[in-house]
Amino acid sequence: MPGVCQRHPRYAVLVGFVLVATFYFLIPYAPEHRPDVHFMSMSDNDLSSRVERSTRIYDKLLTNRQGLIKKFGPTPQDIAVFPPDKAPWPPYTVWDFFPAAFNCPHEVERLGALGDGGKWVCGISRVQEKPDCIVYSFGINYESSFEAEILENTKHCEIWGYDFSVKSFGPEIPKSLTHRTHFKAFGLSGADKHGPDDTPPMYTLETLMKLNGHTHIDILKIDIEGWEFDTLTTLLKPYVSSGLPVPFGQLQLEIHIWQKTFDEYLAWWEMLEAVGLRPFWTEPNLVYQNYNKQGTSDLAEYSFLNVKGDNIFIKDPKRPFHPDGNHPHGHQ
């Protein structure tokens, strides 16, 4: 019996057209025809490929930032941090120039309270069983839900907390986990000031790490009410000139952009980028804005990943962790 296609040649043509069109739209364009698009390959399942792809995305942002500065400037000195509400109305704020455009290559999870106090962390699973996990937290302010969740989500992480305005961690930390906490009523600063007449005592991060016998910090949280500019400038400048990686894996930072011009802030931010810090999360501090009834949101929370060196968030460990925990604190 003759086939359907033989009896109905027009039907055969229609079927052939549908098949060709289906293959055309289902098969992706070859990368060589779309150089601006980076396709996911099987190799993207490994950590280094994911970090590389995130870097390409962030590099595109750097070009876009320069274009935005030229559009509203044309120089950084011409940009207002928060433009006045008058004609011609420029539709931007300072935060639009610095989005958190780096993709964390792991899970992103908020640790701690919703609202003020909690922080966004990239890949807490990476230190879940790390025997030499080190966390530093500057700025406690009676609220330690962030630190409590780190302790509860990891087996070995120890936390060094510093705040001269309080006497201890907040009540959120269970008593069963306090043996992994260490607290001092010190302040973080760009210079050491801890003599008999210095109240409160102030230390640089470098000095505190030496006192504690640490060469690397996995997670660093800083909330020091505007002093982050001087403190981080002092800390990071040597790494800008040397090219060496900074001694921490990621940074949770509240930024207080009080009395800063755009060009000052841009130079400081570009210093963070120069040492390898890439923002993967941000949110404005709306609690502060609400209580102060201000028209501008001049506080923002940022979380950064350090993409230089071989810290645990961007590189797999060179050798497996041992269950006895006999790893030097300097291993990253």
Side-chain angles (χ1 to χ4, degrees):
M1 184 168 68
V4 175
C5 292
Q6 290 176 324
R7 295 200 305 266
H8 303 285
R10 292 183 179 179
Y11 177 79
V13 172
L14 178 61
V15 171
F17 175 79
V18 171
L19 289 174
V20 170
T22 300
F23 279 111
Y24 178 80
F25 287 109
L26 287 181
I27 297 175
Y29 295 123
E32 58 266 26
H33 298 307
R34 294 290 306 278
D36 58 318
V37 176
H38 301 287
F39 293 93
M40 184 176 292
S41 64
M42 292 300 292
S43 64
D44 286 335
N45 291 325
D46 66 74
L47 178 55
S48 61
S49 296
R50 296 198 301 272
V51 172
E52 181 182 353
R53 186 171 65 249
S54 297
T55 299
R56 291 197 301 263
I57 293 172
Y58 195 81
D59 287 346
K60 182 175 180 289
L61 165 73
L62 299 180
T63 301
N64 293 343
R65 181 195 299 158
Q66 294 306 314
L68 196 62
I69 291 174
K70 186 176 181 180
K71 176 181 179 181
F72 291 115
T75 70
Q77 291 76 17
D78 300 316
I79 302 290
V81 172
F82 296 101
D85 185 14
K86 61 182 180 180
W89 179 64
Y92 74 85
T93 72
V94 61
W95 307 119
D96 292 314
F97 294 82
F98 308 97
F102 193 86
N103 292 330
C104 164
H106 314 289
E107 80 283 355
V108 176
E109 183 177 357
R110 185 178 181 85
L111 299 181
L114 296 176
D116 197 34
K119 307 293 180 184
W120 292 94
V121 175
C122 170
I124 189 66
S125 59
R126 299 288 290 181
V127 294
Q128 188 173 22
E129 299 189 16
K130 188 172 185 282
D132 58 344
C133 172
I134 301 297
V135 178
Y136 275 40
S137 180
F138 294 94
I140 307 299
N141 194 26
Y142 301 106
E143 215 287 340
S144 297
S145 59
F146 170 71
E147 293 81 4
E149 281 211 47
I150 289 181
L151 293 170
E152 291 166 352
N153 281 276
T154 62
K155 291 184 178 180
H156 307 289
C157 284
E158 296 192 32
I159 300 179
W160 275 257
Y162 297 94
D163 192 327
F164 59 80
S165 68
V166 296
K167 296 181 179 180
S168 67
F169 283 103
E172 294 81 5
I173 296 179
K175 290 184 179 180
S176 60
L177 298 176
T178 55
H179 65 284
R180 288 198 271 138
T181 65
H182 315 266
F183 180 86
K184 293 288 185 181
F186 298 161
L188 181 65
S189 178
D192 290 324
K193 298 178 181 179
H194 47 84
D197 299 325
D198 294 314
T199 305
M202 307 295 288
Y203 291 84
T204 65
L205 181 62
E206 180 183 15
T207 297
L208 290 173
M209 291 178 68
K210 287 181 179 178
L211 290 173
N212 297 327
H214 299 150
T215 60
H216 183 76
I217 300 169
D218 292 291
I219 297 174
L220 171 62
K221 187 205 86 173
I222 296 179
D223 182 359
I224 52 176
E225 304 302 316
W227 291 101
E228 63 270 10
F229 291 97
D230 291 341
T231 299
L232 287 176
T233 297
T234 300
L235 170 66
L236 299 180
K237 269 189 174 181
Y239 296 95
V240 174
S241 57
S242 69
L244 295 173
V246 294
F248 49 87
Q250 62 180 282
L251 168 67
Q252 281 67 40
L253 178 69
E254 184 168 56
I255 299 176
H256 311 71
I257 199 167
W258 300 324
Q259 300 177 338
K260 292 290 180 184
T261 63
F262 180 84
D263 54 320
E264 289 173 336
Y265 185 74
L266 175 65
W268 180 80
W269 182 275
E270 289 179 339
M271 177 190 66
L272 304 187
E273 291 175 328
V275 299
L277 296 180
R278 298 290 182 267
F280 64 86
W281 199 275
T282 185
E283 60 184 23
N285 189 324
L286 299 179
V287 173
Y288 168 84
Q289 184 177 357
N290 179 62
Y291 277 114
N292 288 276
K293 307 300 181 185
Q294 295 184 356
T296 59
S297 181
D298 48 6
L299 271 65
E301 303 275 358
Y302 274 89
S303 294
F304 298 84
L305 194 65
N306 175 17
V307 298
K308 289 189 176 182
D310 60 352
N311 69 75
I312 191 65
F313 302 105
I314 63 167
K315 295 284 181 67
D316 290 321
K318 297 176 181 177
R319 57 191 178 91
F321 297 138
H322 296 290
D324 61 5
N326 291 328
H327 250 233
H329 283 308
H331 179 69
Q332 300 176 19

